[in-house]
Amino acid sequence: MLTAYEADVTLRITKIYFNYKKSDTSIRFSAVPVHQLHHTVTSKIDFYEIKAQETISPDPSEGEIWEIKGSATWEHQTSHDGNYLIKKHYLNADSAKLILPQNPVGFISFIADTPHFKGVGPKVAQNLWEEFKGETYSILKNKELSKLLTVDGLGERSAKSLITGYKKFSYLKYSTFFTKNEIPVEIQKRIYKFKGVADGSLIKIDRVKFDPNPVNLINENPYTLSTFGLSFQKNDRIAKKHFDVKDDDPRRLTAAIIQCLTAHGKKGHTISLHKQLITPLRDLFHQNESLVTKALSQAYDKRAFIIYPDTGVYQFTPTYVMENVVAKRLLKLNNQGEIYNEDEDAACVSAFQAAKYPLETQQKEAVITSISYAVSCVTGGAGTGKTTVLNSILHAYEELNYQIKAVALSGRAAQRMHQSIKRETSTIAKFLREDPIDNIGDQRYLLVIDESSMLDLPTMYKIIIHIDPAVRILFVGDPNQLPPIGAGNILSDIVKSKVIPNTELDIVKRQGAGTGIPEYSKLVNLGVVPLELSTGNITFHHTAFEHVDDVCVELYKLDPENSRVVAPTNKLVQKINVKCQQELNPQGKQLVFDKDGEKLFDQIYENDPVLFTQNNYDAHVQNGSLGKLISAEQKGVHFGVVQMEDFENEEDEFVSLTSSLLLSLTQGYCITLHKAQGSQFPRVIVALTPGANLDRAWLYTAITRAEIELHIVGPKAKMISAIKNVSNASKRQTNLINLLQKN
């Protein structure tokens, strides 16, 4: 029988439960009761199972002490071994507060048992307390490494682990405020890291951090939460419920405008037409025209957006700043003009002589142009020799004593570039984490951005402010591929402006028998239906929509080690993944998670190909990273091991799965095209489906993912309509072309 009561208890967390229900925003963990002061266990028969909302902060970990209040029930149960009676409590937390121990017993347990403080055992924790007592927290907060190194038994590595681990608790004093006001943990974390947003994604507009007291920031304007990624609707509910905001509050009106502009930005645009702003704004205000008028006036006065008077176009101010900064930097490089003297000529001659294959006239022009100008582009489709040209360009630049920085957006693309150019490469994310290239003086640098069709505006802006204005830039890519997921269309805009020198390689270089894929893709890009849909290494499988998944699976089974299925919708991706697993790996060991005697199962089996759908820079995993689950064995807080397909360093080849990584892990037999962009696979199977707005850019990009063999599955009519359908990329609204041409 369950007995209800109101709980106010101090607990030590014993276990965090992995919650596979991704739609559930709660956190579950078990705990035992401890003394309020010295944190020793007070009962050997009381056990707690707690459910708390995601708003509690920081994330709970095993070994931590929490004060928890809420409604609870308890009942007597038999222990797992059946030998004694236990008192099991079920507690729904209304508030949860992490406690930093202020006594030696609690402190030693906190440091030694909390996983954030790796390498620090009870003895060293005791020495630490005896040396500094409660002052320890201040030392950790201020990162006073020299003081920590005076503690007996504490080495530099462990001291740094203490400082790094304490970051989690650095904003502890604000957790009650955040929890009380129902602010999600992810939003809380962002508040402490960044200042500024664009297109719904956080960026560093400057290097200044927020007010050290975020309570002041949010109290002043609760809609600040929207700038950290919280939707206007959720922010509005919090603001009205907890901060007594009225409908016509200027802060609310401005936030609504920003919501509409950023929502349009998430569709890829950097500017908005009048109706594209007004229509969603009216919806937010339930057609209240008075509020719409006030919002426009208020937001304009606050400079939340820019209006171009000649066109009546609106632009979110951070986006305006980014686009202008990018344009000015590119123009500054471009305005240096053409420089091609004896040194440049000698470097090019050396590069031509060193080339593995003789360069065509068009390819030589690309090399000369790239050497002659401080910013330039080399573009072209598959098989046109971009890699050959790039190697020659880099050879010439090295002859001129330039240091080369070569980057790509995805880890797989960076790895492929490394294999092609035999030089150090990195992802853009890693490059941006490194020290900026500034104050270069007489040093010479060239930044090469491969697969630059994937560059969105926020990423390009980050690159620009990360490098010295004198650093040369070379864009390499194919502007006819899918546009980037984020706002902007950098490479395409640069090429269309005709301001920045661009050499388009359009002669397909066939070697040996050839696959026929480059020629085929060129026709598709031109909107021309090939005379034969099946030719060379390309096979078109005329298939009714209802059978597309089955045909894709059968084709995959013929060569699973070299194949990848590419599909336009998440629904079809999931369907094909399930069927591939059933056919190829039905007896694989399933990922299993223990939950106090219960077992939770993930639909991923050992030896399944897998895909990560979120960035996790600590684990060196990116959104779109591919691998193979080689172990589904749970060891402590790790639930398995993935062998990565795309990794930058040998130590990153194997990734241990934590609960946070698991939330972003899916099967990888079939992936969406956006996840495949920047990658190539020996054998690609392209699935066509109804309902998806497929255009020639989508089909062209899908075709060019194949290195050797290509299969296209779907109705013939869908294939032809996709080829004839003008690319949605051409419909993106941006201002970069105009900015480049005006200046």
Side-chain angles (χ1 to χ4, degrees), residues 114-162:
T114 301
H116 304 289
F117 307 118
K118 296 178 182 177
V120 184
K123 179 60 178 175
V124 175
Q126 182 179 345
N127 294 342
L128 189 62
W129 178 264
E130 290 175 352
E131 183 73 25
F132 302 116
K133 296 184 172 54
E135 187 189 351
T136 305
Y137 300 124
S138 174
I139 292 171
L140 294 176
K141 180 182 178 182
N142 296 325
K143 303 177 182 180
E144 298 179 63
L145 183 62
S146 58
K147 283 190 178 181
L148 293 175
L149 293 176
T150 64
V151 176
D152 187 31
L154 189 60
E156 185 173 351
R157 185 173 180 179
S158 296
K160 288 181 177 178
S161 174
L162 280 169

Side-chain angles (χ1 to χ4, degrees), residues 292-529:
V292 170
T293 302
K294 287 181 180 178
L296 288 169
S297 176
Q298 180 68 34
Y300 183 75
D301 290 343
K302 294 289 185 182
R303 301 193 177 185
F305 61 83
I306 305 297
I307 301 178
Y308 296 95
D310 53 336
T311 60
V313 166
Y314 297 78
Q315 187 166 25
F316 186 35
T317 300
T319 308
Y320 168 84
V321 171
M322 288 189 293
E323 215 160 34
N324 272 272
V325 168
V326 169
K328 287 179 179 179
R329 182 66 66 84
L330 294 178
L331 288 169
K332 185 175 181 179
L333 289 170
N334 192 60
N335 290 340
Q336 295 179 21
E338 184 178 6
I339 302 172
Y340 191 81
N341 299 316
E342 291 181 1
D343 290 343
E344 285 77 15
D345 185 66
C348 287
V349 170
S350 175
F352 298 155
Q353 292 173 343
K356 187 175 181 180
Y357 304 102
L359 270 64
E360 302 285 347
T361 300
Q362 190 184 65
Q363 295 174 316
K364 288 181 178 180
E365 289 174 357
V367 177
I368 293 170
T369 300
S370 299
I371 293 296
S372 303
Y373 293 91
V375 57
S376 62
C377 307
V378 175
T379 61
T384 56
K386 291 196 300 294
T387 298
T388 300
V389 169
L390 179 57
N391 271 301
S392 294
I393 291 171
L394 298 184
H395 180 103
Y397 267 107
E398 287 168 342
E399 289 286 309
L400 295 168
N401 296 316
Y402 277 80
Q403 296 184 52
I404 309 295
K405 288 284 186 179
V407 300
L409 195 62
S410 72
R412 192 176 181 91
Q415 185 185 30
R416 284 181 53 243
M417 181 168 53
H418 171 71
Q419 294 167 348
S420 300
I421 67 174
K422 310 301 182 191
R423 294 168 175 85
E424 183 179 350
T425 62
S426 78
T427 60
I428 291 174
K430 182 182 178 183
F431 172 69
L432 293 173
R433 293 197 301 270
E434 297 171 348
D435 292 335
I437 305 175
D438 52 15
N439 301 316
I440 63 175
D442 294 331
Q443 294 179 296
R444 294 178 163 188
Y445 280 89
L446 171 69
L447 176 67
V448 180
I449 307 175
D450 197 20
E451 297 287 352
S452 52
S453 63
M454 301 172 65
L455 269 181
D456 61 17
L457 176 61
T459 304
M460 188 65 216
Y461 172 81
K462 291 177 186 178
I463 292 171
I464 286 294
I465 64 173
H466 195 71
I467 61 176
D468 191 280
V471 174
R472 289 190 163 201
I473 303 174
L474 173 64
F475 297 94
V476 182
D478 185 353
N480 296 308
Q481 291 188 15
L482 279 182
I485 296 174
N489 203 4
I490 298 296
L491 181 62
S492 180
D493 285 351
I494 290 173
V495 171
K496 287 179 180 177
S497 75
K498 300 186 183 300
V499 173
I500 307 299
N502 170 50
T503 306
E504 181 183 2
L505 305 175
D506 58 5
I507 300 173
V508 174
K509 298 282 292 179
R510 295 185 61 171
Q511 297 176 17
T515 64
I517 296 172
E519 297 91 341
Y520 199 92
S521 66
K522 187 175 181 179
L523 289 174
V524 170
N525 183 48
L526 293 171
V528 177
V529 179

Side-chain angles (χ1 to χ4, degrees), residues 42-59:
T42 58
S43 171
K44 294 183 178 180
I45 65 167
D46 288 274
F47 297 91
Y48 287 78
E49 186 172 313
I50 299 98
K51 179 180 180 182
Q53 293 305 305
E54 65 168 352
T55 51
I56 72 166
S57 173
D59 297 332

Side-chain angles (χ1 to χ4, degrees), residues 603-661:
Q603 294 305 312
I604 299 175
Y605 297 170
E606 204 171 82
N607 295 318
D608 275 346
V610 292
L611 168 78
F612 291 94
T613 60
Q614 295 178 15
N615 293 326
N616 189 314
Y617 296 124
D618 291 335
H620 302 283
V621 166
Q622 292 184 310
N623 185 354
S625 294
L626 293 160
K628 183 178 184 179
L629 183 67
I630 61 171
S631 171
E633 182 180 355
Q634 182 176 347
K635 295 182 179 179
V637 296
H638 296 111
F639 304 103
V641 178
V642 171
Q643 184 176 16
M644 305 299 293
E645 288 186 18
D646 48 339
F647 53 91
E648 295 183 57
N649 305 300
E650 288 186 7
E651 59 266 28
D652 301 330
E653 182 178 359
F654 299 96
V655 173
S656 294
L657 294 174
T658 61
S659 57
S660 61
L661 284 172

Side-chain angles (χ1 to χ4, degrees), residues 160-173:
K160 288 181 177 178
S161 174
L162 280 169
I163 291 172
T164 303
Y166 187 74
K167 287 182 180 178
K168 172 182 174 180
F169 312 101
S170 61
Y171 54 89
L172 195 57
K173 60 184 177 180

